[in-house]
Amino acid sequence: MQSEQQNNQLVVQNSGSLSFSSHLSKEDEEMSRSALSTFRAKEEEIERKKMEVREKVQLQLGRVEEETKRLATIREELEALADPMRKEVALVRKRIDSVNKELKPLGHTCQKKEKEYKDALEAFNEKNREKVQLITKLMELVSESERLRMKKLEELSKNIDSMQ
């Protein structure tokens, strides 16, 4: 085998040119041809396999291109679907912000009015309690005054009766 390889190799001569060894026997020549045909067969097989791989790669690239087109179409459809919704959502959000801006001062006014109402109600109830106390005091005073006057009248009446 090693002699076959040596015979099949190109010999580099001192002049720098390449040539086949000229001392090849018929058997060596046959081996060289066999090795050359084996080499060519291997080369053809390698080339055929390369072509098969290329074809597979091309098929995959074709599939990838188709899938890319499909995905692009799907994305376009999604964007088309999302567009009207985005506009409506944006409008509603702007309206919500606007209403929130209007609600803030109204809320403050409402709280202020509620506080004023509570304060006024408390003042009203306080004055009402004071009125009830005053009425109660008045009734006590009037009752006391009437009692004292009746007592005085009775005394005066007794005095008159005792004078007669």
Side-chain angles (χ1 to χ4, degrees):
M1 181 88 165
Q2 194 169 355
S3 66
E4 179 183 333
Q5 287 177 349
Q6 288 173 349
N7 290 334
N8 289 336
Q9 288 180 353
L10 296 175
V11 176
V12 177
Q13 297 176 346
N14 287 341
S15 65
S17 66
L18 299 176
S19 68
F20 282 105
S21 175
S22 60
H23 303 295
L24 294 177
S25 66
K26 279 194 172 203
E27 194 176 288
D28 287 342
E29 208 175 289
E30 188 59 39
M31 283 180 161
S32 292
R33 284 187 189 146
S34 172
L36 188 59
S37 69
T38 304
F39 175 75
R40 284 185 183 146
K42 294 274 184 189
E43 281 294 313
E44 287 172 3
E45 185 180 343
I46 289 171
E47 199 59 39
R48 185 179 48 77
K49 285 188 178 184
K50 270 175 53 178
M51 291 304 288
E52 286 176 10
V53 170
R54 272 194 194 128
E55 287 174 8
K56 287 179 183 178
V57 167
Q58 286 301 321
L59 282 172
Q60 287 293 344
L61 285 175
R63 286 187 200 127
V64 167
E65 283 181 29
E66 288 175 21
E67 291 300 316
T68 302
K69 287 176 186 176
R70 278 187 48 218
L71 287 173
T73 303
I74 290 170
R75 183 180 340 143
E76 288 172 8
E77 289 175 9
L78 279 173
E79 288 174 2
L81 284 175
D83 253 353
M85 292 172 70
R86 277 191 212 151
K87 289 177 184 174
E88 288 179 30
V89 166
L91 287 174
V92 170
R93 283 186 177 155
K94 283 182 183 177
R95 186 68 180 125
I96 288 171
D97 290 342
S98 172
V99 169
N100 271 340
K101 287 178 184 174
E102 293 172 17
L103 276 176
K104 277 187 181 181
L106 290 174
H108 291 303
T109 302
C110 188
Q111 288 175 346
K112 183 179 173 184
K113 298 283 183 185
E114 281 179 350
K115 187 180 183 312
E116 287 175 10
Y117 170 75
K118 286 178 183 176
D119 291 346
L121 184 61
E122 189 179 320
F124 173 79
N125 288 335
E126 183 64 34
K127 288 296 177 187
N128 232 359
R129 282 190 290 274
E130 188 180 341
K131 177 184 163 188
V132 167
Q133 288 174 349
L134 289 172
I135 289 173
T136 304
K137 180 134 180 131
L138 176 64
M139 295 202 38
E140 288 173 5
L141 288 174
V142 167
S143 292
E144 183 67 23
S145 174
E146 286 175 355
R147 191 182 62 76
L148 286 174
R149 284 189 350 204
M150 285 301 280
K151 187 177 178 184
K152 193 72 168 169
L153 281 172
E154 284 176 15
E155 280 178 26
L156 287 174
S157 183
K158 281 183 185 179
N159 274 343
I160 291 177
D161 284 344
S162 67
M163 286 181 157
Q164 291 181 334

